[in-house]
Amino acid sequence: MMGRISISQGVAIGLLAIVAVLVIIIPLLPLYDPYSQNLGGSLLPPGGSSFDGRFYLLGTDTLGRDMLSRLALAGQVSALIGLGAVTVSLVVGVTLGLIAGYFRGPVEVFIMGLADLQLSIPRVLLLIAVTAIIGPSVVNLAVILGLSSWVAYGRVARGMTLSLREREFILSARTQGASATWNIRQHLLPNVLPQMLIVGSYEFGMIIVLEASLSYLGLGVQPPLPSWGMMVSEGQNYLALAPQLAILPSIALFILVAGFQFLSQTLTKENDLEMVA
Amino acid sequence: MAGFIIKRLLQSILTIAGVITAAFFLTRLAGDPAILLLPPEATAADADRLRAALGLDQPLIVQYILFMGKAATGDFGMSLRQAIPAMDLVIERVPATLELALSSFAVGIGLAFVLGILMRMTRHGWVRDVITWIALGRQAIPIFSFGLVLILIFSIQLKWLPSYGRGTFAHLILPALTLGTYELALYLRLFNASLAAEQRNDYVRTAFAKGQGRIQVLLKHMLPNALLPLVTVAGINLGMLLGGTVVTETVFSWPGVGRLIVQSVSQRDFPVIIAGVFLISLVFVVINLIVDILYGFLDPRVRLA
């Protein structure tokens, strides 16, 4: 049993380490500029060199731009949007969930009705409609992705609050005259937060995929800024000639998403074990 | 039962009203429809006349009620690019999307069914592990990446299947595989869990005691019970599937509603975008309603909840 857990922990750490190297360490190295074009060396395969003798570890794209540094920059953009979106959805979701669970009554009915309503519009479609209208900038994307993803946090936070609010420490605080805000901030929030971070680790991967899908459709990150989804879409036209253009960003996405899947899985497992013990 | 149906029906109507409200706000966010509709050389007087004709000079609440009434009859205005009602353009594309969604649904359930039974019957632990890992790995690959890998293998390398368009059965295979396998890990986990739960029931012990074989007990007795939760969750998950059609249709140039929506975004044809999103949400709400009511018939415990 211990062995199994440490295997998936190891996989999670390994995958996320690759992402960290790509997104944090590669940009620190003296590599090619992700924007500079080299038309003497376009569509080079991984390990290829251009006519002027420059070596490209992962090859170049149609304009002769270095794939490695573009993948790294795109990863930074995605990670930034993902972190922003998870923060927005966590804050909104936890706030609404705690309010719904603590006050109950019509407030709860309204908030949970809002959650049901939001779930009844497929998330990709909602995002397409909203970005089409307000325009896709990096900040807009983070906010829209965040606002459309609060339901998971809200539901878990409400569920936990429903049982927590009946516990002795909350009751005693209330009989001593503690206000609702005090109770929510001092007693409920610290108890709910660890669980929320687990939800966040799962949602982060989902949000990255959503952002990549929007960018693939041309509705997410806009050029000249690169993103993995956009790189796949650009590569689709050269699938027969240079399949690595679409495959490399796909692999990067796979590693990141699988890493976070494993992370949230091990976190959930450990948490269950703690609860049992 | 009648009470349960009425309650769920009212819930669904409320949800649809909420979707229309969201559509109203989105339409207003898109900007003044009169400016969007008129050619650039139109005068301010032209714009005023059109606003009056469209009811845009009314108070917001009146506009909202008018919008509600029109939306309820499927009227989301004219397409800004073609002189055709937006909803007509969307309706034209519905069969293609339904074809894709239903085949993907069938692929997902079918694969989960076959692989789930295989996992249950095999005596080799590694078979179970391999299936689980493949399903988990598939889940980590975004739809567009998986679609392109399939195109690369089956269209470009092997030249077996077409990579874009709609028409023959061969055109359907790659898109349905792409979309249908995305949620396979979830279906498998559910199916396995419900099979495991059935295993503990007395009727299984009775069947074994009567001398029936493993396969017979599994297929004849456990399966009908274990399939129910799988179908329900898959039905609820249809929202994910309908959202996934947008990306899948773009990958394979499949002429469905999703591709129409994406194309309308680049043409800034807002009525078509909103009509498309509304229609897909409507389909989703109706399917959920049907699944719930069917489930209420099949399992009386649900009605009480």
Side-chain angles (χ1 to χ4, degrees):
Chain A
M1 193 65 199
M2 282 308 289
R4 283 191 87 88
I5 289 176
S6 62
I7 285 178
S8 48
Q9 268 173 342
V11 175
I13 293 169
L15 291 172
L16 294 177
I18 299 174
V19 176
V21 167
L22 179 64
V23 174
I24 299 167
I25 298 186
I26 299 274
L28 299 176
L29 301 176
L31 288 166
Y32 301 109
D33 175 71
Y35 297 113
S36 72
Q37 307 179 358
N38 178 3
L39 294 175
S42 62
L43 289 181
L44 290 175
S49 296
S50 60
F51 291 122
D52 50 6
R54 285 194 265 174
F55 174 77
Y56 295 94
L57 186 64
L58 292 182
T60 55
D61 70 0
T62 48
L63 297 173
R65 294 175 294 194
D66 179 35
M67 280 296 278
L68 180 61
S69 48
R70 283 184 73 73
L71 280 175
L73 179 62
Q76 288 180 322
V77 174
S78 287
L80 215 69
I81 294 176
L83 281 177
V86 166
T87 312
V88 169
S89 54
L90 197 143
V91 170
V92 174
V94 171
T95 310
L96 290 179
L98 288 178
I99 290 175
Y102 190 81
F103 292 106
R104 318 240 23 206
V107 181
E108 185 186 24
V109 172
F110 178 75
I111 291 176
M112 289 298 126
L114 209 62
D116 285 341
L117 171 63
Q118 194 161 337
L119 290 181
S120 68
I121 309 177
R123 196 149 46 147
V124 179
L125 283 170
L126 185 66
L127 288 167
I128 289 175
V130 178
T131 46
I133 287 164
I134 70 167
S137 69
V138 168
V139 175
N140 279 0
L141 281 171
V143 172
I144 302 166
L145 281 164
L147 287 182
S148 66
S149 313
W150 67 274
V151 175
Y153 306 88
R155 290 200 156 169
V156 178
R158 169 182 162 269
M160 290 181 77
T161 308
L162 286 182
S163 71
L164 283 170
R165 73 194 288 274
E166 308 300 334
R167 297 266 292 274
E168 287 82 359
F169 65 99
I170 304 264
L171 286 177
S172 86
R174 243 194 299 187
T175 44
Q176 290 175 52
S179 68
T181 351
W182 171 270
N183 260 334
I184 288 177
R185 208 178 49 222
Q186 296 293 321
H187 294 305
L188 289 173
L189 190 60
N191 276 301
V192 169
L193 217 49
Q195 203 72 31
M196 290 299 113
L197 293 178
I198 296 178
V199 177
S201 72
Y202 173 75
E203 280 280 315
F204 187 80
M206 298 273 291
I207 292 220
I208 296 284
V209 172
L210 275 175
E211 179 270 311
S213 305
L214 285 177
S215 298
Y216 171 80
L217 296 173
L219 314 173
V221 177
Q222 297 296 313
L225 220 53
S227 87
W228 290 337
M230 188 204 301
M231 289 172 81
V232 173
S233 145
E234 286 168 359
Q236 184 168 4
N237 299 323
Y238 297 88
L239 212 51
L241 195 65
Q244 75 273 10
L245 291 189
I247 297 296
L248 285 173
S250 294
I251 293 175
L253 268 168
F254 173 75
I255 293 175
L256 187 144
V257 174
F260 275 95
Q261 253 175 29
F262 273 106
L263 180 70
S264 68
Q265 222 171 42
T266 53
L267 285 177
T268 318
K269 249 188 215 165
E270 272 170 30
N271 224 57
D272 283 345
L273 287 179
E274 268 173 30
M275 280 178 176
V276 173
Chain B
M1 192 64 203
F4 170 73
I5 292 179
I6 289 170
K7 195 181 138 207
R8 281 295 286 111
L9 210 60
L10 285 177
Q11 268 177 356
S12 302
I13 291 170
L14 210 65
T15 309
I16 291 166
V19 173
I20 296 177
T21 308
F24 175 73
F25 283 115
L26 282 176
T27 316
R28 283 301 103 100
L29 269 176
D32 187 346
I35 304 284
L36 290 169
L37 273 169
L38 284 171
E41 63 270 16
T43 61
D46 289 337
D48 281 341
R49 231 174 299 131
L50 186 62
R51 275 194 205 99
L54 291 172
L56 294 171
D57 52 350
Q58 308 279 333
L60 201 63
I61 181 76
V62 177
Q63 286 187 36
Y64 173 65
I65 292 167
L66 282 174
F67 186 88
M68 273 279 194
K70 281 185 175 173
T73 59
D75 180 5
F76 284 87
M78 301 291 273
S79 156
L80 300 182
R81 295 287 167 258
Q82 287 163 277
I84 301 173
M87 194 44 107
D88 290 4
L89 279 173
V90 176
I91 298 272
E92 210 177 273
R93 304 288 196 104
V94 166
T97 295
L98 276 186
E99 182 183 318
L100 175 61
L102 291 178
S103 344
S104 305
F105 185 75
V107 166
I109 294 289
L111 275 177
F113 180 76
V114 171
L115 293 176
I117 289 178
L118 189 66
M119 284 169 82
R120 197 83 208 157
M121 301 228 285
T122 182
R123 292 181 196 280
H124 304 287
W126 62 268
V127 174
R128 272 190 288 274
D129 288 346
V130 167
I131 294 174
T132 311
W133 280 92
I134 289 177
L136 279 177
R138 168 66 192 95
Q139 206 178 24
I141 306 174
I143 288 174
F144 52 87
S145 291
F146 193 75
L148 289 186
V149 170
L150 289 187
I151 289 179
L152 194 60
I153 297 173
F154 293 103
S155 303
I156 293 175
Q157 296 293 328
L158 298 170
K159 297 190 169 43
W160 286 353
L161 295 166
S163 63
Y164 63 89
R166 173 178 178 237
T168 64
F169 179 70
H171 286 92
L172 183 60
I173 297 176
L174 292 186
L177 265 181
T178 302
L179 185 55
T181 52
Y182 191 52
E183 300 276 293
L184 186 60
L186 174 73
Y187 297 161
L188 265 181
R189 199 166 57 229
L190 271 168
F191 190 43
N192 275 327
S194 56
L195 275 179
E198 290 305 321
Q199 181 102 53
R200 286 192 288 272
N201 280 331
D202 287 340
Y203 73 83
V204 174
R205 204 166 15 148
T206 311
F208 276 124
K210 276 167 42 188
Q212 293 192 331
R214 259 161 50 90
I215 296 173
Q216 206 178 358
V217 174
L218 181 70
L219 294 182
K220 250 179 80 179
H221 297 290
M222 288 164 63
L223 213 53
N225 291 317
L227 271 179
L228 208 57
L230 179 67
V231 173
T232 318
V233 171
I236 291 167
N237 232 28
L238 218 61
M240 199 73 152
L241 201 74
L242 288 170
T245 57
V246 180
V247 179
T248 314
E249 286 174 5
T250 305
V251 174
F252 294 97
S253 304
W254 187 265
V257 178
R259 193 166 147 74
L260 175 71
I261 292 174
V262 173
Q263 285 170 335
S264 303
V265 170
S266 52
Q267 296 172 345
R268 307 192 64 69
D269 197 344
F270 300 113
V272 177
I273 302 172
I274 288 165
V277 172
F278 169 75
L279 193 73
I280 292 187
S281 306
L282 181 71
V283 169
F284 179 46
V285 172
V286 169
I287 289 172
N288 266 339
L289 179 69
I290 294 172
V291 169
D292 268 11
I293 291 177
L294 277 181
Y295 206 56
F297 269 114
L298 294 170
D299 189 344
R301 284 167 299 182
V302 178
R303 279 174 250 161
L304 302 172

